[in-house]
Amino acid sequence: MSFRKDFVWGAATASYQIEGAYNEDGKGSSIWDEFTHIDGKILDKSTGDVACDHYHRYKEDVRLMHELGLKAYRFSIAWPRIFPDGIGSVNQKGIDFYNNLIDELLSYGIEPYITLYHWDLPYALYLKGGWLNDDIADYFERYTTVVAENFGDRVKNFITFNEPQVFIGCGCLEGSHAPGFQYGDKDLLRMCHNVLRAHGRAVRVLRQTVPDVKIGFTSAASPLVPLTENDVEAARGGFFSCGRGNFVFSQSFWHDPIAFGKYPEAILSTYGEDFPAVDEEDMKLISAPIDFIGLNIYTGAFVKADENGYAQRIPCYRGHPRTAIGWDVVPQSLYWGTKFFYDRYKLTIFITENGMSAHDCISLDGKVHDPNRIDYLNRYLLELKKSAEDGADIGGYFQWSLMDNFEWAKGYSERFGVIYVDYETQNRIIKDSGYWFKGIIEQNGENL
Ligand code: NOJ
């Protein structure tokens, strides 16, 4: 056995990172539109105003996906393209854009995977309190209804949220991402709970509206990797720990309510009265069955058990391989992350993102040679394959990213794509890694 026969091979992107056309055809402003226009927020002073101009070039981009042999494409919908004010009237041109994109994908036999929320909250809703406003679950339900009614005849795979750890953690705890503020724990708990309430509503709508729908929820995970067999339980315990100071970035805080219908005991007892009142009806919706867990894994941390059995981090040695953005290359994170998740939640796992940033450039021969990315993908995929062989149910793998794009607070300074984008000309060039990935897809990973 290796990867299952129907293994889904794809690549992923997100609306704000590639679309551009930030104020065209009736689109409303998002928190990222506002944030990037504030001086000093983005490393290279760039914005997503134009990005990869995918809004106008989606046909070329889908053709490139076909050239790469992709079986699936994960993209997100810009909520303010559908609802310029977050609620209220629907923008038909926004619907048209995604309809065209979906039809184009299907004409090449590429299966669409839609992420409903990949961070571009309508600015109008931020002004109403954003995730702090309890009504946001209603707004998200309405938005999901329109998405499901318009695209659900052709799209069967939906991810409600992408990396709540990061959009709450970096956006509202650290303040390095939009909207760029630092809230205290009590407010953060309320926001997180509202994200889960919105997730529950979306699941209900999708089940009611889309026949044969498959629903997932995607987490940002940096798995703890045990140094030896004796460190496995310490790594597992540390990976799922959740308490004061780390709940936003933890795994169990988000996934336990969905899978088990309750927050981890430790977090409830730690915060007591400060924890938002949890309505039973909400919890029922939050814990309605989903079909898969999405994991975005790029790196991990090595640990060993200390004398009390707790995970103790072992820093990587000096000179350990790192990607351009500075993340340690830890391929085993894909093995342990998927194994730990599958053991705990017993749900199909999709790697919804994995990849690396590198200082890619066009060589004299006009091509983009990125042997380091090939090596990275190769090592990580081998670990994923091993995890599947050891019994974790792995449904698919989406490489991040289809093309170089706007890397949030880092702007265009990091390139994650298997397609190179020249931002001056908007020319695209498939990198060597793209052709390599195509070969892996063709053989369903047998040639790894
Ligand atoms: C996670 C995010 O979902 C994506 O938007 C981002 O570009 C990649 N990781 C790389 O940081």
Side-chain angles (χ1 to χ4, degrees):
M1 232 198 72
S2 67
F3 291 119
R4 44 201 255 189
K5 291 237 151 29
D6 59 351
F7 194 80
V8 178
W9 293 96
T13 64
S15 47
Y16 188 73
Q17 298 182 269
I18 63 164
E19 284 180 5
Y22 81 112
N23 60 359
E24 275 180 54
D25 289 345
K27 176 180 166 291
S29 189
S30 77
I31 53 171
W32 273 95
D33 291 313
E34 301 296 325
F35 188 72
T36 55
H37 285 206
I38 300 171
D39 207 25
K41 297 292 185 194
I42 307 300
L43 185 70
D44 59 5
K45 298 187 187 309
S46 62
T47 70
D49 292 2
V50 178
C52 308
D53 196 30
H54 172 74
Y55 188 76
H56 298 112
R57 294 168 196 263
Y58 70 92
K59 284 196 177 175
E60 178 187 354
D61 292 336
V62 175
R63 196 178 42 72
L64 288 167
M65 292 177 211
H66 171 67
E67 225 171 296
L68 290 173
L70 298 187
K71 300 201 183 313
Y73 173 53
R74 172 182 175 233
F75 62 98
S76 75
I77 294 200
W79 186 350
R81 227 182 253 296
I82 306 292
F83 282 100
D85 297 320
I87 43 169
S89 53
V90 172
N91 176 33
Q92 187 54 44
K93 292 216 165 130
I95 304 273
D96 294 347
F97 168 68
Y98 294 110
N99 262 333
N100 292 339
L101 172 62
I102 291 163
D103 288 344
E104 196 68 14
L105 289 166
L106 293 176
S107 75
Y108 283 102
I110 300 170
E111 181 97 32
Y113 278 65
I114 286 182
T115 306
L116 289 170
Y117 188 81
H118 201 129
W119 310 356
D120 39 2
L121 182 75
Y123 185 61
L125 292 188
Y126 162 73
L127 294 178
K128 289 179 188 291
W131 294 106
L132 257 187
N133 181 346
D134 295 346
D135 292 339
I136 198 153
D138 297 337
Y139 308 152
F140 195 71
E141 181 168 7
R142 173 86 191 108
Y143 158 60
T144 306
T145 305
V146 169
V147 168
E149 284 175 354
N150 281 279
F151 312 134
D153 56 334
R154 287 153 295 149
V155 181
K156 301 298 168 195
N157 306 286
F158 291 86
I159 291 156
T160 55
F161 283 92
N162 178 69
E163 296 195 347
Q165 290 94 346
V166 177
F167 71 80
I168 299 290
C170 295
C172 304
L173 166 64
E174 294 174 353
S176 55
H177 280 191
F181 293 105
Q182 296 178 324
Y183 292 84
D185 282 3
K186 195 171 171 183
D187 285 342
L188 290 168
L189 286 166
R190 184 171 213 99
M191 291 180 192
C192 295
H193 185 52
N194 280 335
V195 170
L196 285 172
R197 288 178 57 241
H199 161 82
R201 303 287 194 89
V203 171
R204 176 170 68 185
V205 166
L206 290 167
R207 287 268 180 247
Q208 283 168 355
T209 322
V210 182
D212 305 320
V213 70
K214 295 267 184 278
I215 306 171
F217 179 92
T218 280
S219 227
S222 291
L224 299 187
V225 173
L227 269 189
T228 71
E229 278 304 307
N230 299 331
D231 305 311
V232 171
E233 291 319 313
R236 190 196 303 273
F239 187 39
F240 289 111
S241 72
C242 171
R244 193 179 287 282
N246 87 339
F247 66 91
V248 173
F249 287 104
S250 87
Q251 303 304 323
S252 56
F253 178 84
W254 298 100
H255 286 275
D256 280 14
I258 295 177
F260 308 141
K262 54 180 195 306
Y263 283 99
E265 211 35 64
I267 200 78
L268 296 173
S269 54
T270 303
Y271 284 99
E273 295 277 280
D274 280 349
F275 206 88
V278 177
D279 182 280
E280 240 178 74
E281 274 309 299
D282 278 343
M283 199 41 103
K284 254 197 214 149
L285 295 181
I286 290 171
S287 58
I290 57 172
D291 304 285
F292 64 93
I293 288 173
L295 293 179
N296 295 350
I297 297 178
Y298 291 85
T299 184
F302 294 100
V303 294
K304 67 174 188 195
D306 68 11
E307 60 278 10
N308 300 312
Y310 292 121
Q312 186 193 345
R313 282 178 189 246
I314 309 297
C316 289
Y317 58 83
R318 213 175 293 151
H320 186 272
R322 284 181 156 192
T323 65
I325 204 170
W327 300 344
D328 286 313
V329 176
V330 183
Q332 303 92 323
S333 58
L334 224 46
Y335 177 84
W336 290 102
T338 50
K339 178 179 170 43
F340 286 156
F341 256 88
Y342 186 68
D343 285 352
R344 186 176 178 98
Y345 298 114
K346 299 279 182 291
L347 270 181
T348 303
I349 310 286
F350 276 75
I351 295 301
T352 37
E353 289 182 27
N354 169 247
M356 72 173 275
S357 70
H359 294 144
D360 303 307
C361 56
I362 306 174
S363 290
L364 279 175
D365 62 5
K367 298 183 177 158
V368 179
H369 304 295
D370 56 343
N372 41 6
R373 185 173 285 104
I374 293 175
D375 187 63
Y376 175 104
L377 297 176
N378 199 341
R379 288 173 190 270
Y380 275 71
L381 279 167
L382 279 168
E383 293 287 334
L384 187 65
K385 191 172 179 181
K386 190 168 132 209
S387 175
E389 285 166 355
D390 282 1
D393 181 16
I394 317 281
Y397 171 92
F398 289 83
Q399 194 275 336
W400 183 273
S401 175
L402 174 72
M403 55 184 145
D404 296 337
N405 58 47
F406 179 80
E407 177 56 22
W408 309 111
K410 306 269 186 193
Y412 298 97
S413 60
E414 301 294 340
R415 293 182 178 272
F416 276 90
V418 286
I419 297 175
Y420 182 90
V421 177
D422 177 338
Y423 298 111
E424 295 291 305
T425 60
Q426 291 295 349
N427 276 348
R428 275 86 158 124
I429 300 172
I430 296 180
K431 300 178 191 177
D432 288 356
S433 60
Y435 293 110
W436 177 85
F437 191 42
K438 180 186 170 98
I440 299 300
I441 297 173
E442 275 166 6
Q443 308 273 322
N444 199 32
E446 290 300 328
N447 46 349
L448 278 164

